[in-house]
Amino acid sequence: MKRIHLSLLIVLSVFFVQCSSAGDKTGQETTPQVKNVIIMIGDGMGVSQVYAGLTANKGSLHLEKCQFVGFSKTYSANNYITDSGAGGTAIACGTKTKNGAIGVDVDGKPVKSILEYAAENGLSTGVVASCAVTHATPASFVAHQPSRKMEEEIAVDFLNSDITVFIGGGKRYFDARSDNENLLDKLEAKGFQVALNMDDVKKVTTGKLAGLVADEHPALYPERGEFLPESVQAAINLLKNNDKGFCLMVEGSQIDWACHANEKDATVNEMLDFDRAIKVALDYADQDPNTLVIITADHETGGMALTGGDLSTGEVEATYASTGHTSVMVPVFAYGAGAVEFAGIYQNTDILTKILNLYGFGTEK
Ligand code: MG
Ligand code: ZN
């Protein structure tokens, strides 16, 4: 009698497994077309940084809403450990390049970024960063320069790009330049509304926006207030006007700097600030089901390890093995249309290929 029950159980199990996989297949076939992509990069955000934030927040993060998780391999073309220039370029342009390079391949040749593919296809595009927009990560999505140090040249690339909105710091590379050019005037001549503080940024809901709210970098959280989540909301408000869709890159820039400094509390503050920005993106994806949100990192910073903690008090105990970057794989969290494509282990450069396929832009580079 027991044996009969066991056989029945096995038959039923097989039946349910088959049913559920058939259901998954149908689910995938009806996945909405990807129209909007929001790429969110926590600079230096490895699994420890994520879990430090989760612990400090007493057990939860908004990013846990993501349905699919993968890992990306971050090494650059010339180094086991990438910098943010090569890491950003890999994600933005789908090519492994030398450390320090911005939007160019190993031979220094410009490589088209996801924002440029999107603009060519009639989509609106944007960049939001809690650092200078000319800094390595945001620059990788817009500029093409052999070195991340060329921030004045990178500012010119912003001026000459087809970008719809950018919000961050770095004003001095536009209006206090060694060539005495005033790129803010030139941006206005090209139809940009130039906003130099958050009140003015929030007033702009149509057209093109250059939001440069700090000479160099916005302050460390909490001094900069809700700059990052508010800027993500402002950028989305503007980008969603395009019926064809949009592509937006958001960077939580200073997780990296907190980890270079081996500052646990700053790491947690920056991680939670980034998570609040993530909530804005996930909320938009809930309103518009043709939206894909990808949350990842360019590399891990600090070799951060959590050596203790308390989920009820939010206490985090951490040590750092390094004041630099490390080589470990970084998580890729995905939510919304096409999110299933981001499960698995793959190269950081595959992220671009997956996005191009989901948009339906093809994969020629
Ligand atoms: Mg960065
Ligand atoms: Zn760094």
Side-chain angles (χ1 to χ4, degrees):
M1 193 61 184
K2 243 183 187 165
R3 190 167 293 167
I4 291 168
H5 277 158
L6 191 64
S7 312
L8 188 64
L9 196 68
I10 290 166
V11 168
L12 280 174
S13 305
V14 169
F15 176 71
F16 281 121
V17 167
Q18 281 176 346
C19 282
S20 60
S21 58
D24 282 347
K25 204 171 170 229
T26 315
Q28 278 176 35
E29 281 160 6
T30 55
T31 286
Q33 169 66 35
V34 171
K35 212 176 85 178
N36 314 308
V37 178
I38 305 173
I39 305 162
M40 310 194 68
I41 299 177
D43 197 315
M45 186 190 74
V47 173
S48 292
Q49 285 77 1
V50 172
Y51 205 72
L54 182 148
T55 303
N57 207 36
K58 300 183 180 175
S60 70
L61 286 176
H62 297 299
L63 70 70
E64 287 179 80
K65 196 170 169 180
C66 291
Q67 306 103 327
F68 294 95
V69 183
F71 279 95
S72 95
K73 301 182 221 179
T74 68
Y75 60 85
S76 71
N78 69 340
N79 205 304
Y80 181 60
I81 299 177
T82 190
D83 84 314
S84 293
T89 299
I91 297 168
C93 308
T95 190
K96 298 252 187 198
T97 191
K98 294 177 191 164
N99 281 9
I102 300 294
V104 297
D105 66 14
V106 285
D107 301 317
K109 220 175 103 225
V111 187
K112 207 184 286 181
S113 80
I114 184 60
L115 297 191
E116 291 168 320
Y117 279 104
E120 274 182 11
N121 283 274
L123 279 66
S124 294
T125 60
V127 158
V128 169
S130 51
C131 66
V133 295
T134 48
H135 205 254
T137 311
S140 299
F141 283 77
V142 178
H144 304 281
Q145 296 294 342
S147 169
R148 58 186 289 172
K149 292 178 186 154
M150 300 166 69
E151 293 193 68
E152 292 193 350
E153 289 82 355
I154 289 166
V156 173
D157 285 351
F158 269 83
L159 173 69
N160 293 330
S161 74
D162 286 323
I163 197 164
T164 315
V165 51
F166 56 96
I167 308 171
K171 182 169 90 70
R172 58 177 279 213
Y173 301 105
F174 292 81
D175 73 350
R177 299 166 53 83
S178 52
D179 62 7
N180 293 320
E181 296 275 349
N182 188 335
L183 301 194
L184 299 185
D185 292 345
K186 292 191 170 183
L187 282 165
E188 279 180 345
K190 281 193 76 176
F192 279 92
Q193 301 157 88
V194 176
L196 303 181
N197 58 62
M198 280 312 286
D199 285 342
D200 288 346
V201 162
K202 288 183 210 166
K203 284 178 199 151
V204 180
T205 54
T206 58
K208 299 201 286 182
L209 167 64
L212 293 164
V213 303
D215 264 334
E216 189 71 57
H217 305 299
L220 194 71
Y221 192 87
E223 289 94 296
R224 69 169 179 271
E226 297 307 304
F227 162 80
L228 191 63
E230 288 180 0
S231 296
V232 174
Q233 189 63 66
I236 291 173
N237 289 348
L238 207 150
L239 293 169
K240 72 180 183 191
N241 296 331
N242 188 334
D243 290 337
K244 285 187 175 169
F246 66 80
C247 186
L248 171 65
M249 193 290 293
V250 175
E251 184 195 24
S253 316
Q254 300 195 33
I255 299 168
D256 177 63
W257 304 350
C259 291
H260 278 293
N262 292 359
E263 292 275 358
K264 176 201 69 179
D265 292 343
T267 303
V268 163
N269 282 341
E270 291 295 329
M271 184 63 224
L272 292 178
D273 177 64
F274 187 49
D275 191 53
R276 285 187 291 277
I278 289 166
K279 180 182 191 299
V280 175
L282 297 178
D283 285 351
Y284 182 72
D286 282 338
Q287 288 169 37
D288 184 340
N290 297 107
T291 303
L292 165 67
V293 182
I294 302 156
I295 301 145
T296 188
D298 47 358
H299 52 73
E300 196 274 346
T301 303
M304 189 183 190
L306 302 186
T307 51
D310 188 326
L311 289 163
S312 62
T313 63
E315 187 203 337
V316 176
E317 284 172 32
T319 62
Y320 295 84
S322 164
T323 55
H325 300 168
T326 71
S327 63
V328 290
M329 295 191 292
V330 292
V332 184
F333 305 93
Y335 182 76
V340 64
E341 298 302 326
F342 293 86
I345 298 172
Y346 40 85
Q347 293 289 352
N348 51 4
T349 50
D350 292 337
I351 294 172
L352 176 86
T353 317
K354 291 173 190 294
I355 296 172
L356 290 177
N357 283 334
L358 287 165
Y359 267 135
F361 294 164
T363 53
E364 41 81 44
K365 284 180 198 161

